[in-house]
Amino acid sequence: MSASQAAAPAHGAATARPVLASAGPGFVEFAEVEKSYDGRTFAVTRMNLSVARGEFLTLLGPSGSGKTTTLNMLAGFERPTHGTITLEGQPVDRLPPYQRNIGMVFQNYALFPHMTVEENVGFPLSVRQVSKADIAARVGRVLDMVRLKQFGDRRPAQLSGGQQQRVALARALVFQPSLVLMDEPLGALDKKLREHMQLEIKQIHTMLGVTIVYVTHDQSEALTMSDRVAVFNQGGIAQLGSPDDLYNTPQSSFVASFIGENNTLEGVVDRVSGEQCRVQLNGGGEIAALAVGVTQGSPCHVAVRPERLNLSAAADGGNALAATVDGRIYLGDHLRLLARLANDQVLTVKLGPEATMANGETVTVSCAPNDCRAFPADAGTGGAIPKQGKTT
Ligand SMILES: Nc1ncnc2c1ncn2[C@@H]1O[C@H](COP(=O)(O)OP(=O)(O)OP(=O)(O)O)[C@@H](O)[C@H]1O
Ligand SMILES: [Mg+2]
């Protein structure tokens, strides 16, 4: 069973950890923000979040974890039930969306079908009563930036999905907002186009220095594009950090499984000494790991990345697990070996393409204790959480 399927919650476990310790007020600040739509459950709970000016921050998490609700509160489409949001030091609670000077891009481009590309992009300027000459100049510049200048006369229906999304992006940028919010903007595009648009958005971010808060549930998109990623779980931030932090030092089983590929071994903590612990694996065997918040005698999940496992002899004090080769997946630049342990759990081991082990062969899977992280057996994942179950 993987961590994300783990049985249910002492809810709130994933949200109880401290989030960003900020040195001063950020460009955007959420302070103890909560949102309940129905008075019984929280869609967002105890949200403390600080976004720096010019930052590309991504909200990443499973469906129903509160990403859109968070973005909508920042945009002004939803009001927090509790707590305060400030933008450039000013509370925005009473400001309607159009006075927040925020550009928005959604998954479904929401372009006006009866307007041309130029009219769509110029719309935010005409509602702000910018002169016709200024509108023409600014629309021209921004269409140039998204490489759509030659499509100005077309209507949205005459464009491809990627082109429509670039129009939506141009319309969000044309009034030079200091903050742009994007909610799964590339979700409707195929993989190749999505990857291309990721680069374009990143380039525009670098070129304009605009602050972007971006929502996705695609972890590779989050890792490629962001300065920092807030990993959402059950209406709260499970961990906030750079892509590198999240990948190499996840603080929970949930984050370890959600970011990148991971093997999860279930067991019980036998003893903790200093930074390390020994874990008795369910079904037999034991392993030494870094202790990340675990206590002696408690159930835990040990996470280890496929590229941190190998089949060479274990170093002194290293972990060694007997296994049988259960499958080989050749991927050109590397080989993924499936290794079945005595307890029947299958580990994925990432090896060089030259590795020769055959199916059925007996091997020893080894890894350094510092590459294994033992977490308390995790709370589940999901959406809104019951108010009465809320921990403090
Ligand atoms: N307008 C609404 N009324 C009532 N409940 C809502 C409303 N919008 C969202 N919710 C609930 O709030 C929780 C968080 O939803 P939200 O849309 O913020 O999740 P999300 O992380 O954006 O998910 P997805 O990845 O599916 O878009 C969910 O349980 C959802 O059912
Ligand atoms: Mg959403």
Side-chain angles (χ1 to χ4, degrees):
M1 185 171 72
S2 78
S4 55
Q5 296 164 317
H11 120 252
T15 59
R17 295 182 186 88
V19 288
L20 180 71
S22 144
F27 181 60
V28 174
E29 289 275 349
F30 282 66
E32 294 295 315
V33 171
E34 298 194 323
K35 175 69 181 178
S36 176
Y37 288 103
D38 58 9
R40 289 180 292 112
T41 55
F42 283 105
V44 165
T45 178
R46 272 198 311 269
M47 176 70 57
N48 290 295
L49 175 64
S50 182
V51 187
R53 185 186 292 277
E55 184 169 22
F56 195 119
L57 181 103
T58 295
L59 317 183
L60 171 73
S63 183
S65 58
K67 307 178 298 292
T68 295
T69 301
T70 301
L71 212 63
N72 281 345
M73 289 191 287
L74 181 52
F77 300 134
E78 294 290 349
R79 285 185 75 131
T81 313
H82 175 82
T84 308
I85 299 172
T86 55
L87 191 54
E88 298 194 83
Q90 300 300 316
V92 290
D93 305 350
R94 295 182 186 287
L95 280 188
Y98 63 90
Q99 285 181 0
R100 297 188 183 196
N101 200 35
I102 294 175
M104 296 277 311
V105 187
F106 300 99
Q107 176 168 358
N108 303 315
Y109 335 110
L111 300 176
F112 301 115
H114 58 286
M115 290 186 189
T116 64
V117 166
E118 275 173 2
E119 287 162 351
N120 263 287
V121 174
F123 183 77
L125 299 177
S126 40
V127 297
R128 286 172 171 78
Q129 273 137 32
V130 175
S131 75
K132 282 217 160 86
D134 262 2
I135 292 180
R138 284 163 68 173
V139 167
R141 273 202 302 275
V142 78
L143 282 181
D144 214 15
M145 191 163 72
V146 298
R147 298 188 289 114
L148 282 180
K149 200 139 191 197
Q150 68 278 35
F151 296 104
D153 293 335
R154 293 219 193 158
R155 293 185 200 283
Q158 299 168 310
L159 298 174
S160 74
Q163 290 163 341
Q164 290 181 46
Q165 195 52 288
R166 298 218 294 270
V167 178
L169 185 60
R171 192 178 57 181
L173 295 169
V174 74
F175 60 98
Q176 295 171 319
S178 47
L179 176 62
V180 177
L181 309 182
M182 302 194 188
D183 194 351
E184 309 247 6
L186 311 181
L189 306 182
D190 67 41
K191 185 169 179 290
K192 202 157 172 224
L193 193 51
R194 202 161 64 224
E195 286 170 1
H196 176 75
M197 286 296 296
Q198 287 169 4
L199 285 178
E200 290 211 354
I201 292 174
K202 202 55 206 157
Q203 275 169 2
I204 287 171
H205 170 249
T206 311
M207 191 160 71
L208 299 182
V210 63
T211 309
I212 296 183
V213 181
Y214 190 94
V215 168
T216 181
H217 57 243
D218 177 339
Q219 52 111 355
S220 70
E221 186 163 298
L223 296 183
T224 333
M225 298 182 77
S226 320
D227 296 317
R228 285 188 310 158
V229 178
V231 184
F232 272 55
N233 187 19
Q234 295 189 319
I237 297 175
Q239 193 173 341
L240 177 66
S242 67
D244 180 49
D245 279 345
L246 294 172
Y247 189 83
N248 290 311
T249 52
Q251 296 301 317
S252 63
S253 181
F254 172 76
V255 173
S257 305
F258 204 78
I259 304 282
E261 202 186 345
N262 200 47
N263 293 294
T264 303
L265 294 153
E266 296 184 10
V268 173
V269 181
D270 196 22
R271 64 175 185 277
V272 180
S273 46
E275 289 192 333
Q276 286 197 4
C277 62
R278 285 205 79 80
V279 175
Q280 289 292 337
L281 299 177
N282 295 350
E286 67 168 11
I287 194 169
L290 286 174
V292 189
V294 293
T295 51
Q296 188 173 340
S298 59
C300 70
H301 290 156
V302 180
V304 55
R305 304 279 179 205
E307 69 274 19
R308 299 292 180 177
L309 293 173
N310 56 65
L311 300 186
S312 44
D316 266 0
N319 294 307
L321 298 164
T324 311
V325 176
D326 210 29
R328 297 164 45 96
I329 305 164
Y330 177 72
L331 287 156
D333 63 335
H334 75 274
L335 181 80
R336 304 176 92 69
L337 203 74
L338 305 178
R340 186 178 292 276
L341 301 179
N343 68 5
D344 248 7
Q345 174 158 14
V346 177
L347 299 178
T348 302
V349 185
K350 191 173 170 188
L351 299 170
E354 66 289 345
T356 54
M357 296 78 191
N359 280 346
E361 197 172 316
T362 304
V363 291
T364 301
V365 178
S366 60
C367 56
N370 281 350
D371 289 331
C372 305
R373 298 173 71 81
F375 306 110
D378 215 312
T381 68
I385 47 180
K387 261 187 158 173
Q388 62 273 26
K390 188 166 173 276
T391 52
T392 51

